Amino acid sequence: MQFSTPLVSGRLIRRYMRFLSDVELDTGDIVKAHCPNPGSMMGLKDEGLRVWLEGNDDPRKKLDWGWRLVELPETFVGIDTGAANRVVAQALAAGIDGLTGYDTIRPEVKYREKSRVDFLLSASDRPDCYLEVKSVTLSRQTGLAEFPDSVTARGAKHLGDLAAMVAQGHRAVLLFLVQRSDCTRVTLADDIDPTYAAAFATAMDAGVEVMCIDCTVTSQGISVRNTLPFD
């Protein structure tokens, strides 16, 4: 996934009200940017961090800037949770090991009660595959990516929905997309959300599969890289 317009860099002044941030650009201008991440962004919202913004001229958007990346010493981190599905969509079209052989790939399909699955993969010779994508940015230990970075009741509900699809004879996959390249394995942050961890265990027992993939992240774009093990 390539960014629509060239990113510009600056220093984070603050992130506030979850979806807003103030950034001092390298030019010295101070701008307000949309923060497309509802999580805690632990370790990625400290004052002074170098961040990368994407400009837009869409009159429907209230802000002229969108926050896309944090630059850490060892890696860029993609903080836009919405970008995860776009990255996975392109990867599915090219072929992801373990998710090939399906004739149709449909995004944002309604299922269950008040739920949409990120992707529904279908073929005439196999059960449908319900694919849920979760963007992972948290890393509190070197080499270890963790999900979630805040309590997510919605995420726990999604796990129950996926388990229900398995019970109906379908395939269900939870894909953790690690939007950084400095991690070698993935695990649950069960100390942050023990309810999610319990729902995860129940879903795995029910037959929901888990996949983990990290990303190559640059100021030009984000693409899938390696399959990672889940601890």
Side-chain angles (χ1 to χ4, degrees), residues 15 18 37-42 45 137-138 146-156 189 191-194 196:
R15 181 240 190 170
R18 283 210 300 174
N37 190 317
S40 73
M41 291 183 61
M42 189 183 305
K45 60 181 180 181
T137 60
L138 176 63
E146 298 178 85
F147 183 89
D149 70 352
S150 60
V151 173
T152 172
R154 184 168 174 266
D191 60 317
I192 292 176
D193 191 348
Y196 182 85

Side-chain angles (χ1 to χ4, degrees), residues 20-42:
L20 295 175
S21 60
D22 292 335
V23 175
E24 182 178 359
L25 302 180
D26 292 343
T27 60
D29 295 326
I30 295 177
V31 300
K32 189 183 300 294
H34 174 240
C35 176
N37 190 317
S40 73
M41 291 183 61
M42 189 183 305

Side-chain angles (χ1 to χ4, degrees), residues 138-224:
L138 176 63
S139 179
R140 294 180 290 180
Q141 300 178 37
T142 301
L144 180 64
E146 298 178 85
F147 183 89
D149 70 352
S150 60
V151 173
T152 172
R154 184 168 174 266
K157 180 182 184 302
H158 288 162
L159 288 169
D161 291 337
L162 292 177
M165 293 300 98
V166 175
Q168 293 178 23
H170 303 294
R171 182 186 181 195
V173 178
L174 178 65
L175 194 162
F176 289 122
L177 187 75
V178 181
Q179 290 201 64
R180 53 195 299 161
S181 59
D182 61 344
C183 294
T184 58
R185 63 196 197 282
V186 182
T187 193
L188 294 183
D190 50 10
D191 60 317
I192 292 176
D193 191 348
T195 299
Y196 182 85
F200 180 90
T202 299
M204 296 304 106
D205 288 342
V208 175
E209 303 169 43
V210 61
M211 297 179 64
C212 307
I213 301 176
D214 73 349
C215 292
T216 297
V217 185
T218 72
S219 59
Q220 286 74 49
I222 303 174
S223 58
V224 298

